[in-house]
Amino acid sequence: MFKKIFDGLIDHPVLTSLFVADFGILLFHRPPFLFSLIMLGALMAMCMYFGQKLALFKV
C-alpha cells in the first residue's frame, strides 16, 4: 500500500511539492484567516485528487 502511495506522489512532483508546502505552512505558521481558508481549500482539493488518482482500496 505504501508503495502505491509513494509511486503516485512521485508521478506528480509538482502537485506533491505544492501539497507538502501547503501542509507545512498551515501546520507550522499562522497565515491570515482568509489566506488560510484558501490554502485549506486547495489542500482539500489536492487530497481529493490524490484519493481519486491512487484508488488504494478498489473493490
Side-chain angles (χ1 to χ4, degrees):
M1 182 165 85
F2 290 116
K3 185 175 181 343
K4 281 186 177 181
I5 293 172
F6 289 132
D7 288 342
L9 293 175
I10 289 172
D11 287 343
H12 304 287
V14 174
L15 287 178
T16 302
S17 62
L18 283 174
F19 178 79
V20 170
D22 193 5
F23 185 72
I25 288 171
L26 285 175
L27 189 64
F28 296 118
H29 296 293
R30 182 89 183 193
F33 181 73
L34 185 61
F35 188 63
S36 66
L37 281 179
I38 293 169
M39 289 177 67
L40 186 63
L43 190 65
M44 287 192 294
M46 284 186 277
C47 286
M48 287 189 283
Y49 174 76
F50 280 130
Q52 285 290 323
K53 200 67 167 167
L54 295 176
L56 294 175
F57 303 109
K58 284 187 178 177
V59 178

